[in-house]
Amino acid sequence: MLAEGDDPHDPIVDAARAILDGHIVLSRRIAEAGRYPAIDVEASVSRVMHDIVPPAQLELARRLRQATATYENNRDLIAIGAYQRGSDPRIDSAIARWPAIEAFLRQDMHERVDLANSVAALGSTMAETAAPADTAKPKGTAK
């Protein structure tokens, strides 16, 4: 269902959302930032995903949503340089993964990606990596 405008609380949209198994939310903010498709991962939801995808894929998607939410919730601190690396390992991880997450979520209008390749790319994007050496230093350690 395509809702006109930016009001996610429109009563007709809410009624349709209540009957559907899930919804994909497109964001004007994300589109204006130049990422297409402009899907808001945090606001989009599927009620049947846990019934139709393997547990490993479900876990990868959950970790992507967590990293995206962590980054977005701290975007302002990161942008103005107020976040000090090493203060929170979850934020450090989200910052380190953000370029790969952005690349994963971006797709050219004429690009086709099958499910197997998409899941493999999600796995690569969310693969566990060791923290950079300077992130692992205790707070207050001189460089």
Side-chain angles (χ1 to χ4, degrees):
M1 169 169 192
L2 182 59
E4 187 175 340
D6 290 329
D7 182 11
H9 304 292
D10 179 300
I12 296 172
V13 174
D14 278 344
R17 197 177 294 142
I19 331 175
L20 300 173
D21 289 327
H23 54 275
I24 296 173
V25 177
L26 300 178
S27 164
R28 185 178 312 275
R29 177 187 56 82
I30 292 171
E32 288 171 351
R35 188 177 85 205
Y36 299 99
I39 297 171
D40 185 335
V41 173
E42 289 180 77
S44 300
V45 70
S46 170
R47 294 185 192 132
V48 298
M49 185 173 177
H50 63 279
D51 292 329
I52 60 174
V53 301
Q57 182 181 342
L58 195 61
E59 175 62 15
L60 289 170
R62 184 193 63 76
R63 288 181 27 218
L64 178 100
R65 290 175 69 92
Q66 267 185 332
T68 301
T70 299
Y71 187 89
E72 291 294 342
N73 290 337
N74 294 281
R75 177 184 285 282
D76 292 341
L77 290 175
I78 297 164
I80 64 171
Y83 174 73
Q84 185 175 2
R85 204 162 63 179
S87 301
D88 185 330
R90 293 170 305 147
I91 298 173
D92 294 339
S93 176
I95 292 170
R97 292 177 196 279
W98 191 247
I101 290 171
E102 278 278 295
F104 173 75
L105 294 175
R106 185 180 312 273
Q107 182 176 346
D108 184 80
M109 186 169 50
H110 302 291
E111 180 182 7
R112 292 177 187 243
V113 181
D114 63 34
L115 180 61
N117 286 331
S118 181
V119 173
L122 175 61
S124 296
T125 300
M126 299 313 297
E128 294 295 328
T129 57
D134 57 343
T135 300
K137 287 184 183 179
K139 289 186 216 173
T141 305
K143 288 190 175 187

